[in-house]
Structure formats: structure tokens, C-alpha cells
Amino acid sequence: MADQIPLYPVRGAAAVASRKRAAYYSAAGPGAERPGRFQLEDESAHLDEMPLMMSEEGFENDESDYHTLPRARILQRKRGLEWFVCGGWKFLCTSCCDWLINICQRKRELKARTVWLGYPEKCEEKHPRNSIKNQKYNVFTFIPGGFVLAVTIVREAVDEFRRFQRDKEVNSQLYSKLTVRGKVQVKSSDIQVGDLIIVEKNQRIPSDMVFLRTSEKAGSCFIRTDQLDGETDWKLKVAVSCTQRLPALGDLFSINAYVYAQKPQLDIHSFEGTFTREDSDPPVHESLSIENTLWASTIVASGTVIGVVIYTGKETRSVMNTSNPKNKVGLLDLELNQLTKALFLALVALSLVMVTLQGFVGPWYRNLFRFLLLFSYIIPISLRVNLDMGKAAYGWMIMRDENIPGTVVRTSTIPEELGRLVYLLTDKTGTLTQNEMIFKRLHLGTVSYGTDTMDEIQSHVMNSYSQMYSQASGNNANSTPPRKAQSSAPKVRKSVSSRVHEAVKAIALCHNVTPVYEARAGVTGETEYAEVDQDFSDENRTYQASSPDEVALVQWTESVGLTLVNRDLTSMQLRTPGGQILTYCILQMFPFTSESKRMGVIVRDEATAEITFYMKGADVAMSTIVQYNDWLEEECGNMAREGLRTLVVAKRALTEEQYQDFESRYSQAKLSVHDRMLKVAAVVESLEREMELLCLTGVEDQLQADVRPTLEMLRNAGIKIWMLTGDKLETATCIAKSSHLVSRTQDIHTFRPVTSRGEAHLELNAFRRKHDCALVISGDSLEVCLRYYEHELAELACQCPAVVCCRCSPTQKARIVKLLQQRTGKRTCAIGDGGNDVSMIQAADCGIGIEGKEGKQASLAADFSITQFKHIGRLLMVHGRSSYKRSAALGQFVMHRGLIISTMQAVFSSVFYFASVPLYQGFLMVGYATIYTMFPVFSLVLDQDVKPEMAMLYPELYKDLTKGRSLSFKTFLVWVLISIYQGIGRVSFGAFLDVAFITTVTFLWKVSAITVVSCLPLYVLKYLKRKLSPPSYSKLTS
């Protein structure tokens, strides 16, 4: 008998197990002596040197084959394994892992490049293909997966296939490529660095290019960048002057030129490069900046452009800025995961108890695995599918709600997060306000004009230009005679009139606004050259600018008589009230940046040859630039308290010698390859000294519809609202009061500017003594406090009913969101409408974007997109509340469904001597988890405790959800007790039925009795609980 027993290879290194096996085989009979001697001779001597698992060869050989192996072969194997066991395996694993990491994570170093025009084969390096890839997965991602995950996999696969189709459509777009033999059609994905690409009007730019030529006579064109930076205005781009002056398009191949481009980087608002033509004498070197670039994913708005490709594929600005946002997981999912882990521990514990009660008889580990499989219904594997279906239904209900039209659910996995928010962080401009600017105030220092006195400004401007031209026609002069003509007027009248005229002219000249005249019906695109010769009718003209403030100012100058009728790269034309056209040559342009907070322009009057430097900007930036005055700071504060956005306007007259000196230094700084920005800024700052203060303007940004009642509702719901804005402190405080973010009777603590640790310590101590007051803090002070006292600031700020952070950068907004998440552990929501809000929206647990005038970038990056701020009330109070309560009940019901079966199985096994035998057949269990219990799942998805109108009328109902009482260990234990009770009752009375018994009357009354015993006590307890401890909404539903 012992000869027929196979001797398996040693699987464990424990001596106790070895002795048990030796005793077992020796007790089998006298024929087992040889195996016993073998074990005592070899196994005891070399047991520790043998691996825990031998090869499959040992399992395939029987005892006789095993003993016929030569002794030398066995010892040789052990000597080879000795190195492997004693450390060799670590060396092999480490080597393999390092090799795989180097292969998978190897990144190509980004370098600067020299691009030869029209000769991509001259490129020394290999550049990536110019194809777009937005797919998140590959084919092998969808191979694994079982039946339970089929719903999720199919949904992701469909979304992925749609992304693949969109990418294929974009990559297959045809473009004209300029070659030595002429134009050829090429796919977008086949474009290479160095190619000369022709892009027509209204066509997408396929890759990052340097702008070489255009069909526009001015040498410039407009592009739309709303898909890149979220801004809806048109941007003016300038062609390289050397290539624009070439007589014909084919001459690009007759010159020997190249472009030096900096290495690929993230910043879409800067570029440093040079254009060099070597075949001219001397060689031409031209500096390239952001205005000479055409970034991928932008649209050509005017003319036809030709560019040389410098970055493709993954190295383009648009792709490098497409950060992969974090995969947001709802708090409910995390809580369900914790409960699932607890259920898994219960599964293991129950199986061990069953095996223990069995007495560890026979192969007990085999019985342990059987019990694990029998009780596996404790683990709610179908929970994910049911929740995904429920969340899809919630998203469909949100988008179908007629009370919030235009709402889009972009992340369907976190609708229940809308029901657990504690902090709402909102932008100001375009979110709480309409981003519709209206000119309200002009202050000249001694006199102020409002909306009711704009006619006086109009008369001043009209008189100034009429006297100027009447005197000019008589004396053939321009500047001095108008002042002589006014000598008979009173001195104050003369002073105010001239100052009004200078202020209006400065506002009409200092901007980046471009008038655009729409093409008339029937006019082809080839007549774009005639734009300058069009009639400048007011009905056909629209203004394009980078900011609504700029458009409001230019529209105001038009209303008072000075109209901007034309603008190109080098000139600007104004129309006076009398119809005369004033032409100004644009010598230099200094665009607005968030660092400088100002913009400027140098113009030459074609009639008088006077050169003037105009500048406007924020008061904090301009106060140190203008000449000394005693009214600017006070009036800026007064306008800010009225909720107006202020701009300071100043000018400086330049002589021809001063300008020529500046131009030479400025051109040299722009040609610098290293630290170009710093050198250019230093040269410009040399002009910004002792400038003449002309005026102070005030523009109003109106509030969105129903902002006040919406904020009041959110406050009553227990949501703390923080306003994060880049605007100045006074304006932010005024908007906070006017929108009722801060009530009129509530105190406001304005955090003083701090620059050091000591100042921050003193100011925090002063703030600690305040109680129940709103906090207003600037971005600079916030940065200092976060550096030294992050914990203390977060603790104090979280106690405030409202917080206003002004002068915040996009990075600071995201940092505040993360600070709240880390310090409080509460759920945060960020809402905004501009590209500067994207980082805040993506960092928050729930991001909401508003489709506003600043573009769709925020709404596309958000989890939920709405059209108006007031829609957030219904989104949270109705849909957020119901989604959370439904998901909490659904998750616990699915767990309850599995616990009932496992309880019945445990009772059944206990009755039959702890046998690991299934109670029900497999197909019955599958039907129970799908068809039989399908209707309760659907009913929970459509469950409603209060009507939507009641939820909106009583936002206090929302406050209970933030405590998380709908899904907690307490409610989970209640469901567990119910499951155990119902499981024991059902298996005790009705588990043992035969087919003949089902057809009798006795079966019916027994089933009825089981149902009554299982359900009636629970309904009685539920009724008593509602009577003794009614829910918060019980009075509303009665």
C-alpha cells in the first residue's frame, strides 16, 4: 500500500511538518521503510537549503521515478539552489525591476533646436510624430474583467472608442505643405518639425509654428485661442518681417535661413527664439517673441498664414498643458470600501469559526477554502455595478432637470459628493458678477464725472476738437493755437476742458482693442485685403480685446465722441466728433501681464510728429510711477467701496532723441537669449518715471442674477463660502457686501499686510481675539502666513462665517483648496468661469464650471457645468441631497442582500455538522443577486423623502447630510442585525422544502408566516423609531 502512495516534494521548511509526514508514511506499512530512510538521510540534512516550491517536474514524477534519480544530480541541484536561496533571488529581482523601470520611465531630454526652413531631413534629432493621442487605455486594458464588471468595462470602452474616433478625425485633417515642387496635401499626424505649413482662415493650427507670412497686407493676423487659454478675445499675431517682405511664396526656398527655438515648456504666454538669414550681407538676426508664434489648437481668424513647424505632438504647448487631473473618488465610495473591508474580515472570521468547530479534521485548509467560497456572498461584488447604474441615473436626472437648463455632468462617478459639501470656494469676476463692464466714473483730481454728467465730457471733447481744427485751418498750426483760442474762456474752464480732452484721448489710445468689421453677405474671403478701405459704419463694427474692461473703456470713448475706427500692427486711427480721422503710428506696445499689472503704448501723432508714452494699470503699480499727488489713493478707495474696478491713466512726452535711445536699448534686450524678460523689463522701467497723472477710471461689474438669495440659501444649508479673487481688496470687500456674502451687520476683519514672521504673529493674535467676523486677506499676506503659521491660520479661518482672499494667483487658489482638505477633512467645492480657475476646480473634491464670457475652459475642466450661478442652489439642495441619500441606502441594501444568504448558509452548515455544502444551487444565487432583487434596487434609485420644492424651501435639511449619518458604522450594524434576524428566520422555517410541498396550501401559509416573522417586527421597530425620534423632514411631509 505504501508503494502506491506518491511522495510529494517538500513544500515547507518546518521540521514539525517533516516529522508528521515521516510518521504518517512509516505508519502505513513495512513497505514504507525506504521513503522513511530517504527522508532521514537527505531531507533532514538539506531541508533548510531546499526551496519552498519545486518545479513541476517533481509533481509529475511518482515515487519510483523520484528514487531512481542519481544522487549526484540531486546534490548538484541543491548547490545551485544554495546561491539562489541565500540572496541570489534578491539580486535577480532587483536587476529585473531596475531594467523594467528604466525602460518604462525613460524620458527623452528636451533640448533647444535649429530648424531649417523647408528641410525637415536636416534636423539632427528625431522628433515626435505630430499626432494627438487622448486615449487613456490600450487594447490590453479591457481583456481582464469578469461578469460583474461588464457594465463598467463596456461604458469605459465606449467612451474610449469615441475618444479614438475624435483623435482619428483630428489626426486625419489635411493641410497644405509647401515644398520645392509646390503645394502638397499632408495629414496632420504626418507633419514634421521644419515643414512649411499653410493654414487657411477658420482652420485649426495643427502644431506649434513660427509665423512667417500672411496674406494680410499689414503683415499680421488674428487667431482665436479659446480652446487653448479659455479667452474668447482674438489675439494679434505678427509675421517675421524678413520673410513677410519676400516677393513671392516660393522665395522661402530661395533663402538660407533657420529658426532657433527654446526647449519645449509649459508657458503659453512666452517664447524666446531668433530668426537668422545667412545668405544676406550682413546676416539678418531677428528676435522672436510670443507675438510671432502660432500655437497648436488655435484657430486662424483672418487671412491665410504660413509657418514653420517647431514643436509637434507631445511637445506642443497645448498638449504639455493638458495635465491629467486626479481621479476623483467620492467620500461615499471610500466609506463603502471601509465597510467592504470589514465584511471581508467577517468572512474570514466566520470561515475560521466553522473550521474550528469542525475540529480541524482531515484536510482542514481545504474546508477553509470551501467555507470562504460558500460565504463569499458577504462581499458585495455587485455593489459597484449597482452604484454605477444609480450614478448614471442621477446624472441623467440632473441634465434633464428643466429648472437648471444647460447643466452638464462631466464626471458621473461623484454626483453624491454634491450632497456633502461643507466649503464652497468661488471666484468673483464672471461667477458672482456678470463680467459685463459699464463705465461709471471718471476722476481728474479736482472734478469727478458720473453717469449723469457724461454729456459734459462729450461737450468738452467736441469743443476741443472743433476749436483745434478751426484754428488749424486758419493758422496752419496744431498744438499752441487751440490754447490761444480758449484764452477768452475762464481759467478753470480752460484747465478742465484740456484735461478732459487729454484723458479721453489717452483712454482711446492706450489699449489692445482692435475694431473688427464683419464681412458683408456675398463677399468672398479673397477681399480681406480691402478691410482697411471699408466704410467704418458703427453698425458693422465690433471690438475685440483681451479684457472686458478694455472694451468698456473704448466703447465709452466712442459714446463721448472719440471713436476707434481702425487698428493694425503699426497704426491706429481715431474719428473725432467732427468726422476727422486722426492717425497715430504705434512705435512700441507693452502688453499687460499679471506681474507688472499695467500696459503701455508709445505713439507718434502723424500730424504733429509728437511722441507720447501712455500707460494705464492698477493703482498699486501706478502709484510709484506717476508724479506726486494727494488724491489718487483716497479716490481709489472711494471707488472700490462703490464696487468699481479702477485704472490709473498717465502719460509722458518723449523727444525724438529719447525715443531713439530707448529703441536701441530695447531692441538689444529683445535679441538676448538669456534672461530676456528681465532685461526687457529693465529697459521699459527706465521710461516709467515721473509720468503725468491724467485720470482715474471706474468700471462697474454687475452681479449675476439671484446671487444674493442663492448665497443666503447656501449659508442656511451650513455651507461656508470663501471668495477667492485676483481683484483688489477694496473691490472684493465691496462685492462681498453687495452680494450678501457678508451681511451688513457682520464685522469684517481686514488682515493687515505682513511681510515677516513677526508681523504675521502679531496680526494672527489680533485676529484670534475677534469672534464671529468675516476675514479679508490679501494674497501676499496669505503667502507669509502659510509659510510660517499654516496650521494656526487654517484653524482661525475655518471658524469664520465667510472668508475673502483677494489678489490671489491661480496657484494660491488651488493651495487654499488643498489646505482645507488636509486640515479639516471636509468636502470642498470650487466654482469658477475662467481659465485661471481650472487649477482650483481640479483640486477640489467637486468642481463646478460656469460657461461665461471668459470661455469654456473652466466648464470643460469641471465635474459639473452650469450656465448661471443661481443654478448651484438646486444642484446641491435637490440633486446632491437625493443622490447621497439614495446611494447610501442602495449600498447598504446590496450588503444586506448578501448577508442574508450568508447567514442562511451558516445556519444550514451548523445544523448539518458544519458540512461545507451549498444551500442553494449556483443559478439560483445568480438569479437572486440579479433578477429577484432587481426591483428594490431600482426603487432605491428613484426614492424621494421630500419634494424638491421642500428641499429648496428648507435648506436646513441639507445640513444633516454633512454629518454623514446616512452611511456610518452605526447604520451598517443595524443593517447587519436585520440581515442576521431575517436570515435565521427564513432558513429555520422554510429552507427544507420539496417540490411536491410547494403546490400545497400548507406551503402558502408557511411562506406567509415566514414573511410576517421576518418583516413585521422590523416595521414595528421602524414605526416606533419614527414616533420617538422623528427625522428632520417629518414635519414637512406630514
Side-chain angles (χ1 to χ4, degrees):
M1 178 179 177
D3 294 336
Q4 298 175 358
I5 299 177
L7 182 64
Y8 291 95
V10 179
R11 292 174 181 262
V16 176
S18 301
R19 286 195 296 271
K20 284 185 177 181
R21 281 194 297 273
Y24 178 78
Y25 289 117
S26 61
E33 290 179 0
R34 187 172 57 180
R37 288 195 304 270
F38 185 84
Q39 284 185 327
L40 292 173
E41 183 175 330
D42 291 326
E43 186 175 329
S44 61
H46 302 281
L47 185 61
D48 294 334
E49 298 176 5
M50 293 188 69
L52 296 179
M53 193 71 175
M54 295 181 67
S55 65
E56 296 180 358
E57 180 185 1
F59 292 96
E60 295 171 355
N61 295 325
D62 59 12
E63 181 192 9
S64 58
D65 295 333
Y66 188 85
H67 290 299
T68 55
L69 291 174
R71 180 64 56 86
R73 179 179 170 185
I74 297 175
L75 294 176
Q76 181 180 1
R77 181 184 299 175
K78 292 175 182 175
R79 283 197 299 269
L81 293 172
E82 180 179 358
W83 171 84
F84 184 83
V85 173
C86 296
W89 64 275
K90 292 184 179 179
F91 175 78
L92 290 176
C93 292
T94 305
S95 303
C96 293
C97 292
D98 291 340
W99 180 77
L100 287 174
I101 290 174
N102 291 332
I103 292 296
C104 297
Q105 297 185 352
R106 183 171 55 192
K107 293 184 178 179
R108 189 167 63 87
E109 183 181 358
L110 302 178
K111 298 179 181 179
R113 62 197 62 186
T114 298
V115 182
W116 294 89
L117 274 62
Y119 297 97
E121 60 272 10
K122 285 190 176 183
C123 296
E124 300 176 356
E125 296 183 18
K126 184 179 179 181
H127 302 287
R129 293 180 69 243
N130 191 47
S131 62
I132 295 174
K133 184 178 181 182
N134 288 323
Q135 296 102 295
K136 297 191 296 182
Y137 308 106
N138 52 44
V139 177
F140 299 99
T141 308
F142 301 103
I143 292 177
F147 172 76
V148 178
L149 299 178
V151 176
T152 305
I153 291 177
V154 169
R155 186 184 65 179
E156 290 287 348
V158 170
D159 291 343
E160 184 70 8
F161 181 69
R162 290 173 180 170
R163 281 190 289 267
F164 167 75
Q165 287 183 318
R166 290 195 296 266
D167 291 346
K168 184 178 180 181
E169 181 181 355
V170 173
N171 292 330
S172 300
Q173 288 182 354
L174 296 178
Y175 290 87
S176 297
K177 173 182 174 181
L178 193 63
T179 64
V180 179
R181 296 179 298 275
K183 297 179 183 179
V184 296
Q185 294 292 313
V186 62
K187 288 185 178 180
S188 174
S189 58
D190 296 333
I191 293 176
Q192 300 176 349
V193 172
D195 284 344
L196 297 179
I197 303 299
I198 302 173
V199 186
E200 304 290 340
K201 182 179 179 180
N202 294 325
Q203 196 174 16
R204 183 185 72 91
I205 297 175
S207 59
D208 290 352
M209 303 191 297
V210 168
F211 188 11
L212 298 180
R213 285 179 66 86
T214 177
S215 60
E216 301 287 291
K217 291 191 295 185
S220 62
C221 77
F222 284 102
I223 63 170
R224 299 197 300 269
T225 63
D226 53 331
Q227 298 301 318
L228 180 65
D229 56 13
E231 298 178 358
T232 56
D233 62 294
W234 293 4
K235 304 291 193 306
L236 186 68
K237 296 296 181 178
V238 184
V240 177
S241 59
C242 179
T243 52
Q244 179 67 24
R245 289 195 300 264
L246 294 176
L249 194 61
D251 294 337
L252 288 171
F253 288 95
S254 64
I255 63 174
N256 187 20
Y258 63 86
V259 170
Y260 172 82
Q262 64 182 163
K263 69 177 184 180
Q265 59 184 20
L266 292 171
D267 190 3
I268 62 175
H269 300 295
S270 66
F271 174 75
E272 293 181 5
T274 55
F275 177 88
T276 303
R277 180 177 178 181
E278 292 185 333
D279 57 351
S280 61
D281 191 22
V284 176
H285 298 283
E286 190 171 341
S287 67
L288 302 177
S289 64
I290 185 64
E291 64 181 7
N292 305 115
T293 60
L294 303 171
W295 295 146
S297 299
T298 58
I299 307 295
V300 177
S302 64
T304 301
V305 301
I306 299 95
V308 58
V309 178
I310 55 174
Y311 307 123
T312 53
K314 296 181 292 185
E315 295 178 349
T316 59
R317 291 293 203 270
S318 60
V319 175
M320 294 184 73
N321 278 277
T322 307
S323 59
N324 294 322
K326 68 175 185 178
N327 188 20
K328 296 184 180 181
V329 180
L331 182 59
L332 180 97
D333 293 327
L334 298 177
E335 292 172 343
L336 289 175
N337 287 343
Q338 295 296 327
L339 297 180
T340 305
K341 293 175 184 177
L343 290 175
F344 175 75
L345 295 178
L347 167 65
V348 176
L350 182 59
S351 302
L352 287 173
V353 168
M354 286 294 179
V355 173
T356 303
L357 294 176
Q358 252 184 353
F360 293 97
V361 178
W364 60 269
Y365 53 88
R366 194 176 300 169
N367 292 331
L368 175 64
F369 281 104
R370 285 179 177 174
F371 279 120
L372 286 174
L373 292 175
L374 289 177
F375 298 143
S376 62
Y377 290 97
I378 292 179
I379 306 299
I381 302 176
S382 61
L383 176 61
R384 175 53 51 201
V385 176
N386 291 323
L387 278 178
D388 285 346
M389 294 174 62
K391 291 177 180 181
Y394 306 150
W396 182 82
M397 294 175 188
I398 292 173
M399 291 190 287
R400 296 279 294 182
D401 193 343
E402 296 178 353
N403 295 293
I404 47 176
T407 302
V408 179
V409 179
R410 303 191 187 277
T411 305
S412 61
T413 57
I414 56 171
E416 68 279 350
E417 287 294 282
L418 296 170
R420 309 192 64 178
L421 301 177
V422 179
Y423 290 96
L424 176 67
L425 301 100
T426 174
D427 182 35
K428 181 182 73 68
T429 305
T431 304
L432 297 178
T433 60
Q434 296 183 13
N435 205 13
E436 288 184 359
M437 307 299 175
I438 301 176
F439 193 93
K440 288 287 187 180
R441 188 69 57 84
L442 178 70
H443 204 290
L444 302 178
T446 57
V447 61
S448 178
Y449 296 95
T451 53
D452 53 345
T453 55
M454 291 299 176
D455 53 340
E456 295 185 22
I457 299 179
Q458 188 173 2
S459 62
H460 284 314
V461 174
M462 190 176 298
N463 293 335
S464 297
Y465 280 107
S466 62
Q467 293 175 5
M468 180 186 300
Y469 279 97
S470 63
Q471 189 68 25
S473 60
N475 298 339
N476 196 20
N478 292 294
S479 300
T480 309
R483 298 188 178 182
K484 291 182 179 179
Q486 295 176 1
S487 58
S488 59
K491 185 176 181 181
V492 176
R493 177 73 175 174
K494 168 194 168 186
S495 175
V496 171
S497 181
S498 61
R499 289 166 62 189
V500 167
H501 171 228
E502 284 294 329
V504 173
K505 184 171 72 170
I507 296 173
L509 290 173
C510 185
H511 53 73
N512 64 353
V513 180
T514 301
V516 177
Y517 296 88
E518 299 296 332
R520 298 178 182 274
V523 179
T524 61
E526 297 178 356
T527 60
E528 291 165 6
Y529 294 115
E531 278 192 5
V532 179
D533 302 326
Q534 284 182 344
D535 61 317
F536 304 116
S537 60
D538 296 338
E539 297 81 10
N540 198 34
R541 181 176 58 247
T542 57
Y543 294 114
Q544 292 291 341
S546 60
S547 170
D549 301 60
E550 300 264 75
V551 176
L553 293 173
V554 174
Q555 287 176 340
W556 175 77
T557 61
E558 179 183 356
S559 68
V560 296
L562 197 59
T563 306
L564 175 68
V565 293
N566 184 52
R567 177 182 185 149
D568 56 25
L569 183 63
T570 58
S571 65
M572 199 183 314
Q573 291 182 336
L574 303 179
R575 188 177 64 203
T576 65
Q580 298 89 356
I581 299 297
L582 304 178
T583 303
Y584 294 87
C585 178
I586 301 176
L587 302 179
Q588 296 291 344
M589 192 77 189
F590 313 111
F592 178 89
T593 62
S594 56
E595 291 79 16
S596 65
K597 296 183 175 62
R598 56 187 180 270
M599 64 89 60
V601 61
I602 301 178
V603 297
R604 177 190 280 119
D605 191 340
E606 294 290 343
T608 63
E610 292 180 351
I611 300 176
T612 310
F613 174 36
Y614 290 104
M615 176 164 282
K616 70 177 179 185
D619 56 319
V620 292
M622 298 291 293
S623 58
T624 58
I625 295 175
V626 299
Q627 297 172 349
Y628 173 76
N629 61 86
D630 57 357
W631 60 271
L632 179 60
E633 183 178 356
E634 179 183 357
E635 291 302 327
C636 283
N638 292 337
M639 287 191 185
R641 279 186 285 275
E642 297 177 23
L644 303 181
R645 300 160 66 96
T646 58
L647 282 175
V648 180
V649 184
K651 77 167 187 175
R652 178 183 176 185
L654 300 177
T655 63
E656 187 68 31
E657 293 77 13
Q658 287 176 322
Y659 174 72
Q660 294 299 332
D661 174 64
F662 166 79
E663 187 184 27
S664 62
R665 292 185 290 117
Y666 188 66
S667 301
Q668 187 176 1
K670 286 203 298 182
L671 283 173
S672 176
V673 176
H674 302 289
D675 298 329
R676 178 187 297 181
M677 301 294 292
L678 295 176
K679 294 178 181 178
V680 168
V683 174
V684 175
E685 286 178 2
S686 65
L687 282 182
E688 300 171 348
R689 295 173 183 170
E690 292 298 313
M691 299 190 69
E692 179 186 351
L693 177 59
L694 295 178
C695 65
L696 176 67
T697 64
V699 178
E700 182 187 40
D701 193 359
Q702 295 181 327
L703 288 176
Q704 290 271 12
D706 295 335
V707 162
R708 296 187 183 95
T710 302
L711 292 178
E712 186 71 24
M713 179 194 302
L714 296 176
R715 251 199 319 274
N716 293 336
I719 298 176
K720 295 183 178 181
I721 305 167
W722 291 30
M723 185 171 75
L724 313 180
T725 177
D727 215 331
K728 61 174 65 68
L729 186 143
E730 293 81 5
T731 306
T733 305
C734 179
I735 294 296
K737 287 183 176 180
S738 62
S739 64
H740 292 180
L741 177 66
V742 178
S743 62
R744 295 285 184 180
T745 59
Q746 205 166 46
D747 292 333
I748 295 180
H749 178 80
T750 303
F751 207 90
R752 295 179 183 176
V754 295
T755 56
S756 63
R757 182 170 186 170
E759 294 177 354
H761 182 80
L762 294 174
E763 193 60 28
L764 283 172
N765 283 338
F767 178 46
R768 191 184 298 272
R769 291 189 287 268
K770 301 289 184 69
H771 297 286
D772 193 34
C773 66
L775 172 65
V776 179
I777 186 171
S778 64
D780 297 335
S781 301
L782 178 69
E783 193 70 28
V784 175
C785 293
L786 290 178
R787 187 181 307 128
Y788 299 112
Y789 299 104
E790 180 178 297
H791 177 72
E792 291 79 2
L793 177 66
E795 179 185 358
L796 293 173
C798 290
Q799 298 173 0
C800 297
V803 176
V804 177
C805 298
C806 56
R807 299 296 191 191
C808 272
S809 66
T811 307
Q812 283 180 324
K813 291 182 179 182
R815 188 176 177 185
I816 293 172
V817 173
K818 294 176 182 177
L819 176 67
L820 285 176
Q821 293 171 338
Q822 295 169 359
R823 294 295 179 184
T824 66
K826 305 294 185 181
R827 310 312 280 176
T828 59
C829 175
I831 180 171
D833 73 315
N836 59 335
D837 302 318
V838 170
S839 57
M840 172 179 69
I841 288 173
Q842 291 183 341
D845 297 304
C846 179
I848 301 177
I850 298 179
E851 294 186 9
K853 291 197 170 183
E854 296 186 24
K856 294 186 178 181
Q857 190 173 5
S859 65
L860 292 175
D863 305 307
F864 303 90
S865 173
I866 58 178
T867 56
Q868 297 184 51
F869 181 81
K870 65 178 182 180
H871 291 168
I872 194 176
R874 186 174 180 88
L875 188 64
L876 300 187
M877 299 301 112
V878 177
H879 295 287
R881 182 178 180 277
S882 61
S883 297
Y884 170 59
K885 291 185 73 69
R886 291 166 178 170
S887 294
L890 176 61
Q892 294 177 111
F893 171 78
V894 174
M895 294 180 180
H896 161 71
R897 185 177 64 185
L899 281 169
I900 289 179
I901 293 295
S902 299
T903 303
M904 296 171 67
Q905 179 66 54
V907 174
F908 176 79
S909 297
S910 301
V911 171
F912 287 95
Y913 306 101
F914 307 102
S916 52
V917 179
L919 174 60
Y920 295 114
Q921 297 181 9
F923 71 91
L924 287 175
M925 299 305 301
V926 173
Y928 171 78
T930 54
I931 301 175
Y932 308 153
T933 56
M934 178 174 58
F935 293 104
V937 171
F938 287 145
S939 66
L940 288 173
V941 170
L942 303 174
D943 187 30
Q944 179 177 292
D945 54 352
V946 295
K947 294 182 179 180
E949 295 77 14
M950 286 295 179
M952 293 286 290
L953 189 60
Y954 297 98
E956 290 81 7
L957 296 174
Y958 185 91
K959 192 181 299 184
D960 294 338
L961 304 185
T962 59
K963 301 174 183 177
R965 293 177 178 173
S966 298
L967 177 64
S968 62
F969 274 101
K970 179 181 177 181
T971 60
F972 172 66
L973 290 176
V974 172
W975 278 96
V976 170
L977 294 176
I978 294 174
S979 304
I980 294 174
Y981 171 75
Q982 291 186 338
I984 293 175
R986 291 176 183 178
V987 75
S988 301
F989 291 96
F992 319 113
L993 304 175
D994 54 14
V995 178
F997 182 64
I998 295 177
T999 60
T1000 63
V1001 178
T1002 309
F1003 168 76
L1004 295 177
W1005 74 261
K1006 283 194 174 184
V1007 170
S1008 302
I1010 293 171
T1011 306
V1012 170
V1013 171
S1014 300
C1015 299
L1016 184 60
L1018 299 178
Y1019 278 106
V1020 172
L1021 292 175
K1022 186 176 181 181
Y1023 174 79
L1024 293 176
K1025 183 177 184 296
R1026 289 177 66 92
K1027 282 294 183 182
L1028 299 176
S1029 178
S1032 57
Y1033 55 84
S1034 59
K1035 294 181 179 180
L1036 304 180
T1037 57
S1038 59

